[in-house]
Each structure stands twice: as structure tokens, then as C-alpha cells.
């Protein structure tokens, strides 16, 4: 094939690529990919936590509203979940994370704490905090979600404070590639 034919073919192909590139509906990103924070999605299964559904939903909403690089979503029925939530008759307890996608931790929402007057939503948010890598901060004031039962039965705060939010943000700052490993200890939240 003569050189002139190759140039014409190359020019036509380039024009075709450029023409079709302009027809896509997605807008190009103006930020470089490294500047966009990765969001880690963690699924939870509360199918064995009867009676705690509203408290779990409120606890999940609190975390989702207060941290940006990790998002808690309900697992599809029968689907895999990183956070397995069950209702028990004992004291609330949870595996200390931070949990990563494909790994699993357990949260036990114990009715013994509710029977003694502790707030269900605070319990759920607190135990989810353990899954995200936060240990207890006992004794502590009501303003610290992770102070748990040491804040007393009158405390209904289910919102992580700035330090707690910052620590979770740090735990998930590198997305799923972070080298932080789930602690694996079970923290029992009895007074």
C-alpha cells in the first residue's frame, strides 16, 4: 500500500475515533484519579437481629452521615456481609476491626443492656464503631460514642465525636489496600 494511502487511512481512523469519543454521555473527570478518595463499602446483615432494626438503621445512618470514606449498606438477603449483626440476651459485644471487604466481624446486640435502661440506638452505633476499628474509651462522657455504658443510662448520643470520626477516616484512608488488619478481639460492653 502506498504511503499516501496509509496516511489517509490513519487520518480517517483518527477522525472516527475523535468523532465517536465526543458522543459519550459521561463527562470527563476534572480531578486526577489520585485526588479522589476511595470509598470502602461494607455490607451488614441484620437478619438475625429481630427487634433491633430501627436502632441498627439509625446507627448506620449516623456513621454514614459522619464519615466519608467508608459506607455501610445492608447486604442483599442471603448475600455476603462483612458485619454480621445478631440479637442476644447478654451484654452487647463486637469484634474489634477495622473490618475490610471480604473479611467478617460479628456484632451482638444484647438485650441485657436494654433491660438495664441503655439506649438501643446508642448501643447499635457504638458496636458498629468497634467494627470500624474503634476501641472503648471508658470511662468517658456521653459526647464520646465509644464511652459506651460508662456514660450512663441517660445518655442517648449515637453520633461519633470529631476524634472518633477522624480515627475511622484514618482507618479507611487508603481504601481497601490499607495494611490495617482486623484486631479480632471481642469487646464486651458491660459496665
Amino acid at each position: 500500500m502506498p504511503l499516501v494511502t496509509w496516511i489517509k487511512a490513519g487520518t480517517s481512523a483518527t477522525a472516527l475515533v475523535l468523532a465517536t469519543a465526543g458522543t459519550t454521555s459521561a463527562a470527563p473527570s476534572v480531578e486526577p484519579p489520585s485526588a479522589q478518595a476511595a470509598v470502602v463499602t461494607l455490607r451488614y446483615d441484620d437478619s438475625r437481629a429481630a427487634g433491633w432494626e430501627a436502632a441498627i438503621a439509625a446507627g448506620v445512618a449516623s456513621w454514614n452521615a459522619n464519615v466519608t470514606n467508608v459506607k455501610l449498606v445492608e447486604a442483599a438477603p442471603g448475600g455476603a456481609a462483612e458485619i454480621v449483626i445478631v440479637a442476644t440476651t447478654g451484654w452487647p459485644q463486637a469484634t474489634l476491626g477495622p473490618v475490610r471487604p471480604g473479611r467478617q466481624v460479628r456484632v451482638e446486640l444484647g438485650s441485657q443492656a436494654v433491660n438495664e435502661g441503655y439506649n438501643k440506638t446508642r448501643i447499635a452505633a457504638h458496636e458498629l464503631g468497634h467494627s470500624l476499628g474503634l476501641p472503648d474509651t471508658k470511662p468517658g462522657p456521653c459526647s464520646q460514642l465509644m464511652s459506651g455504658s460508662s456514660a450512663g443510662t441517660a445518655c442517648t448520643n449515637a453520633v461519633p465525636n470529631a476524634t472518633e470520626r477522624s480515627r475511622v477516616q484514618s482507618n479507611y484512608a487508603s481504601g481497601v489496600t490499607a495494611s490495617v488488619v482486623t484486631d479480632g478481639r471481642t469487646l464486651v460492653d458491660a459496665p
Side-chain angles (χ1 to χ4, degrees):
M1 184 182 281
L3 180 59
V4 174
T5 306
W6 277 103
I7 293 172
K8 285 182 182 177
T11 304
S12 296
T14 302
L16 178 62
V17 169
L18 291 174
T20 57
T23 62
T24 60
S25 60
S29 174
V30 290
E31 283 186 57
S34 61
Q36 296 175 350
V39 176
V40 176
T41 300
L42 299 174
R43 296 158 298 174
Y44 67 92
D45 174 7
D46 64 354
S47 62
R48 294 185 294 159
W52 287 85
E53 296 86 356
I56 294 166
V60 165
S62 178
W63 279 109
N64 285 343
N66 284 285
V67 293
T68 58
N69 59 4
V70 63
K71 181 159 180 73
L72 303 174
V73 298
E74 190 168 6
E82 285 80 20
I83 304 170
V84 176
I85 306 171
V86 298
T88 68
T89 58
W91 275 96
Q93 55 186 288
T95 309
L96 180 59
V99 66
R100 296 285 181 226
R103 306 267 179 145
Q104 193 172 80
V105 294
R106 181 178 170 97
V107 168
E108 295 183 12
L109 300 175
S111 62
Q112 187 173 352
V114 176
N115 294 342
E116 293 196 20
Y118 291 95
N119 179 270
K120 279 180 132 178
T121 300
R122 179 172 167 83
I123 292 168
H126 174 92
E127 298 306 325
L128 288 168
H130 288 319
S131 298
L132 299 174
L134 299 178
D136 287 316
T137 56
K138 294 179 181 180
C142 183
S143 60
Q144 292 177 344
L145 176 60
M146 299 314 293
S147 67
S149 61
S150 71
T153 57
C155 180
T156 61
N157 173 40
V159 178
N161 68 19
T163 301
E164 294 162 336
R165 291 189 303 267
S166 176
R167 186 141 181 216
V168 170
Q169 289 286 110
S170 178
N171 287 345
Y172 293 93
S174 300
V176 295
T177 61
S179 61
V180 179
V181 177
T182 299
D183 182 290
R185 288 181 292 155
T186 299
L187 303 179
V188 178
D189 289 304

